[in-house]
């Protein structure tokens, strides 16, 4: 009999902010806070030409220099990678969404449970495998969230910048 271990799980938050076109909305006025995604996308300023979406990601520094075993050459230490806030599911987490929210708070101090964010939904789980796809390393659950803030000034205030 073979015992198969449950694969590790992780979750990330994909935080989207819709930014108004230049000159369309004033950062000094606060639009009504939509309660649902359809209400958000029904706002006049969201449908103006020139509106753009931004996605928050983290730029993580490259790990310590390693050697490429096959060529015995150092890896490029200037490389870094980008990632969404998130991480491993821990014992006691109530599910993937909880993991994504907890990790986002721990990593960047944004509380996705606040009224200023709304859940868009969960994307399909992604199986993370070794480079040749031979072994399952973990299952990643991505969750989309939208910031109801319409200006950089308001988001910066939220993030304490």
């Amino acid at each position: 009999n073979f015992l198969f271990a449950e694969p590790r799980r992780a979750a990330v938050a994909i935080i989207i902010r819709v930014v108004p076109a230049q000159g369309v909305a004033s950062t000094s006025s606060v639009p009504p806070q939509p309660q649902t995604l359809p209400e958000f996308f029904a706002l006049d300023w969201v449908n103006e030409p020139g509106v753009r979406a931004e996605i928050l990601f983290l730029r993580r520094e490259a790990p310590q220099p390693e050697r490429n075993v096959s060529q015995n050459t150092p890896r490029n230490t200037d490389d870094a990678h980008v990632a969404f806030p998130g991480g491993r599911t821990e014992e006691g987490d109530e599910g993937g969404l909880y993991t994504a929210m907890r990790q986002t708070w721990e990593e960047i101090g944004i509380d996705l449970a606040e009224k200023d964010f709304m859940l868009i939904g969960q994307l399909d789980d992604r199986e993370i495998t070794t480079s040749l796809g031979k072994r399952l390393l973990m299952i990643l659950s991505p969750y989309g969230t939208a910031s109801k803030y319409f200006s950089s000034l308001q988001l910066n205030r939220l993030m304490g910048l």
Side-chain angles (χ1 to χ4, degrees):
N1 288 338
F2 290 101
L3 294 175
F4 292 100
E6 183 72 24
R8 292 185 306 174
R9 296 193 71 87
V12 295
I14 303 168
I15 302 171
I16 302 168
R17 177 176 69 176
V18 178
V19 180
Q22 189 138 8
V24 171
S26 167
T27 57
S28 61
S29 64
V30 178
Q33 292 290 312
Q35 299 304 310
T36 66
L37 208 53
E39 286 176 11
F40 178 77
F41 283 109
L43 294 172
D44 290 340
W45 71 267
V46 174
N47 292 291
E48 290 288 329
V51 168
R52 69 181 193 279
E54 297 177 341
I55 298 176
L56 182 134
F57 63 88
L58 309 174
R59 182 178 184 273
R60 294 196 169 125
E61 298 302 318
Q64 294 298 318
E66 297 176 7
R67 293 214 165 257
N68 180 328
V69 177
S70 64
Q71 297 174 352
N72 198 25
T73 57
R75 272 188 11 196
N76 184 353
T77 58
D78 295 331
D79 286 346
H81 71 276
V82 295
F84 297 117
R88 287 188 188 162
T89 300
E90 294 180 359
E91 189 174 327
D93 283 358
E94 299 168 10
L97 178 59
Y98 181 89
T99 299
M101 293 171 72
R102 177 183 54 76
Q103 287 281 2
T104 299
W105 171 253
E106 290 174 5
E107 289 182 7
I108 59 176
I110 292 179
D111 186 354
L112 296 176
E114 290 289 326
K115 64 179 175 26
D116 306 311
F117 295 92
M118 69 176 82
L119 178 65
I120 296 172
Q122 180 182 358
L123 282 69
D124 292 340
D125 284 349
R126 177 165 164 50
E127 292 185 353
I128 309 299
T129 62
T130 57
S131 60
L132 298 176
K134 301 266 184 192
R135 187 170 58 94
L136 178 63
L137 300 174
M138 77 172 55
I139 297 174
L140 180 68
S141 301
Y143 291 87
T145 60
S147 167
K148 295 185 203 177
Y149 280 98
F150 77 107
S151 74
S152 297
L153 180 63
Q154 290 171 322
L155 185 61
N156 289 345
R157 230 181 271 136
L158 173 71
M159 294 179 66
L161 301 176

